[in-house]
Amino acid sequence: MWKSVRKLLSNPVFILATLGASIFFGVKFPELSSRLEPIGGYYISFLKMIILPYLFTTITIGIASVAADPAGARYTWRIMVTYPLSMIVVAVISLGACFIVPPAGNTSDGPTIAALGAIVNKESHGGSSINKLEVTLAKPEVVESKGASYPILDRFVPSNVFEALSQGDSLKVVIFCIIFGAALADQGGSGSLSLFANMKIVQSACVEVIRWLNLVLPITLFAMVSGQVAKVGAGPLLSLAPFVTVQVLTACVLFLIFALIIARAARVSPIAAVVQLRETLILAITTRSSFACIPVAARELIEKLHFNRFGTDLVMPLGTTICRLGHVQYFVIGTVFISQMYGVELSLSQYVLIIITSVAAGFASSGATGALSVVMISIVTDALHLPVEAAIALFIAVDPLIEVFRTVVLVYGNCALTAMMTPLEEDPALWANEHETARAVS
Amino acid sequence: MFGMLKRTLTIGAMLFVALFATFTVAQTVPDATTLAGPPDLLGIATRGKLIVAMTSFDNAPFYSVKDGHLEGIDVELSNDIAEALGVEVEFDRSAETFNDVVAKVKNGEADIAVSKISRTNSRALVVAFSTPYVRLKNGLMFNRLNLAQKSQGKDLGDYVRNFDGNIGVIAKSAWVINGQQRFPKAKIIEFKTWAEVLDATISGEVDAAYRDEFEVRRITEDFPETSINLRAVTIADARDSIAVAVQWNAPRLLAIVNQVIEDRMIALDADDVIEMYRESIATEGSH
């Protein structure tokens, strides 16, 4: 009985049907759907609860193994070359898409610009400070800054790892893990080995919790998706149709490229490269949290596509944190949209600047989610001296939809990067979950 | 008549001085004048109506014609003042500009001006101003693109304090002098109407439009599409006080106007006025 329920809950057809039903429900009964949304929120909270311990153990073990293993050095090099390079490639593809479909297509039309203005007005009436600003002519008293003087580096440098953990600041946790893992590899003796073994147990326990949570996904999926659908107004989507179209089309193109990369590396068909990673994709679509997808993606890459566990456990979590492919795409298209909306002609050097600063903003957005990552576009627009506040109000209005694509590109893209960097595991005994293998042996 | 009365009084007073101590004189003089009524109110009382100057154009929610009759904050205030005086109110709407409205009072063509008039030093030289009944902060409406390109990522507060671009204002309004005083490095460009100021700001011909917070915030209420191109910045420590202008030599009338303002109205701010404006627009839309 339990087994058949379990089978049904993880059946892709069943999940797709739930997905369709929840979209329908969200469109048909937006009010009821938005009341269901908190249920999805609790689910995401549960997932996040287990992500930090998982990341902590996985990345520390990963880095320590790389540092201890002479062959590990090649991962360091691959990561340092592949991450920036892949972000540049994504930026170039996104820019190319902007040439094919101009993201600000019809915004100079009277009715469209009036509708867009109304969105900006609505956002600023909502109490956000994006469009309201008060200054004084008298010089304000200088507020002493608290030491840190490079705001962009503030996000990267941890001062207290427990504070970072308690605030869920995953980027700082990851940086701590890298340093700590490297130091751990240097500590010889049996003591460090047993610490490794213990951490591996913690890690697999985390994976187990995530497995349980995955079982109730179809139930919460309904609440999450219908709530999200209810949030997207048709009005903003129509007014920003060209922008949304470019974002979605680019995401689809990138998705295809990623699928082909995974298929080639895993020696399976492109369809299998999508189907075998279905749990990851469904989780990315429903939770829109890239971090929540890391453990499931790593498990699917290892167990279903048979990538080497050691490489996957290292590259997948690290990449999802710092190699923000989805965000780079978003920033490039968003910036071109802003320049077109304000009628600013961009020179070749400015296009190059967009690519470089978008990659930089991608790194800077590490760990940022939702509206915060939308605001990160100001890193790019500031460099080009473009006005960004009105555009951010517009972007936030359509973000409930765009965020889904951004997360999918980020997560699936990092699956592709992992596939590129990690060899296949030849030994079938290592394909299955270590935990289950251990259970089977005993 | 006034002169003759004064002369008689002076003679009388001199006789009193001869007989009594000087303080008794001080008591007798006002008593004698009250009998005839304060001279600045006599004209209004004999006429039976208070002439209130207002610009020829409407200015909701301060004054605007709706369903054939005039209404708004300024109209209510004028009615209250007339009621306190016990006379009818008559609106003189022949003035084309705010300065012309002030000139009407200065020249004695109107008793008072209630027409969203800003208190300024130069106006205070020729007319007397009441206690403000509306206090508004100053507002700048920036062209977003110009702002982003010229501020180059500098702190916006610093940029506004040392603003050295072009500021568009309504010609012959208080904002010309306000602009020169508050933004000494900026170039003040005058336009005939507010609509022309806005067009120049949207096209980027000037970097910012300068007026009070209410007018600046009203732009995006009236024309939502402008919020893509324009960005409002409120200046907290530069205030615009809206007051009633009274003839300089009418102290009793001024006292009554002040009394009405202090007794019946709480000084309104931009949020109140915007709220009233939205309501007035909404009722207009329903017709």
Side-chain angles (χ1 to χ4, degrees), chain B:
Chain B
M1 184 201 142
F2 182 63
M4 217 173 72
L5 186 72
K6 206 175 172 182
R7 223 177 357 256
T8 348
L9 273 171
T10 321
I11 296 162
M14 281 164 81
L15 281 169
F16 274 117
V17 169
L19 296 168
F20 302 103
T22 24
F23 68 88
T24 34
V25 184
Q27 276 185 334
T28 340
V29 176
D31 271 343
T33 39
T34 343
L35 289 172
D40 52 333
L41 297 182
L42 264 175
I44 299 168
T46 45
R47 207 192 296 133
K49 55 189 170 191
L50 175 75
I51 301 173
V52 178
M54 252 177 203
T55 57
S56 53
F57 50 87
D58 279 2
N59 202 349
F62 291 92
Y63 49 95
S64 56
V65 178
K66 228 184 284 169
D67 297 334
H69 67 94
L70 198 60
E71 59 178 61
I73 300 168
D74 286 0
V75 180
E76 274 172 39
L77 179 59
S78 305
N79 288 336
D80 288 349
I81 295 168
E83 196 184 315
L85 291 165
V87 293
E88 296 284 297
V89 63
E90 183 187 295
F91 293 101
D92 174 351
R93 301 202 60 189
S94 56
E96 297 280 336
T97 68
F98 291 105
N99 275 357
D100 288 351
V101 172
V102 177
K104 286 237 168 225
V105 175
K106 177 192 158 198
N107 300 336
E109 292 166 47
D111 298 312
I112 58 173
V114 191
S115 181
K116 200 195 168 229
I117 299 286
S118 304
R119 256 187 352 187
T120 65
N121 293 344
S122 58
R123 284 172 183 167
L125 291 175
V126 293
V127 293
F129 277 109
S130 71
T131 312
Y133 59 96
V134 175
R135 288 175 190 274
L136 298 169
K137 291 166 188 163
N138 282 192
L140 282 168
M141 195 54 134
F142 276 98
N143 177 299
R144 284 187 196 267
L145 188 58
N146 287 13
L147 181 65
Q149 290 181 337
K150 292 193 179 176
S151 67
Q152 303 256 319
K154 262 184 273 174
D155 174 65
L156 215 48
D158 275 342
Y159 179 70
V160 173
R161 271 187 284 282
N162 301 307
F163 186 53
D164 54 1
N166 304 322
I167 295 180
V169 294
I170 306 174
K172 289 180 191 162
S173 70
W175 302 101
V176 182
I177 292 162
N178 283 351
Q180 285 160 353
Q181 284 172 348
R182 283 162 187 162
F183 307 101
K185 290 181 195 160
K187 193 175 164 204
I188 309 293
I189 298 172
E190 296 183 40
F191 292 87
K192 200 157 167 287
T193 64
W194 183 232
E196 283 171 38
V197 178
L198 291 185
D199 284 343
T201 315
I202 291 167
S203 72
E205 186 189 337
V206 295
D207 301 317
Y210 181 41
R211 217 175 162 184
D212 63 64
E213 190 193 357
F214 162 66
E215 292 292 344
V216 162
R217 278 168 61 183
R218 198 181 107 176
I219 301 166
T220 46
E221 297 287 325
D222 290 345
F223 312 106
E225 68 273 18
T226 57
S227 49
I228 300 287
N229 288 306
L230 302 179
R231 178 182 191 187
V233 175
T234 310
I235 296 155
D237 54 356
R239 274 206 306 200
D240 184 30
S241 299
I242 308 296
V244 176
V246 182
Q247 282 175 33
W248 67 272
N249 54 356
R252 296 299 331 139
L253 180 57
L254 179 62
I256 289 170
V257 170
N258 279 341
Q259 196 169 314
V260 169
I261 291 172
E262 279 161 21
D263 286 355
R264 303 203 56 174
M265 316 200 40
I266 338 152
L268 303 167
D269 65 12
D271 289 331
D272 304 321
V273 180
I274 280 279
E275 198 47 52
M276 291 163 106
Y277 181 67
R278 276 194 204 132
E279 279 166 22
S280 107
I281 293 291
T283 49
E284 218 161 68
S286 67
H287 288 299

Side-chain angles (χ1 to χ4, degrees), chain A residues 343-358:
Chain A
V344 177
E345 291 281 329
L346 294 174
S347 63
L348 185 67
S349 61
Q350 278 172 316
Y351 280 120
V352 176
L353 191 63
I354 289 181
I355 292 173
I356 294 167
T357 49
S358 294

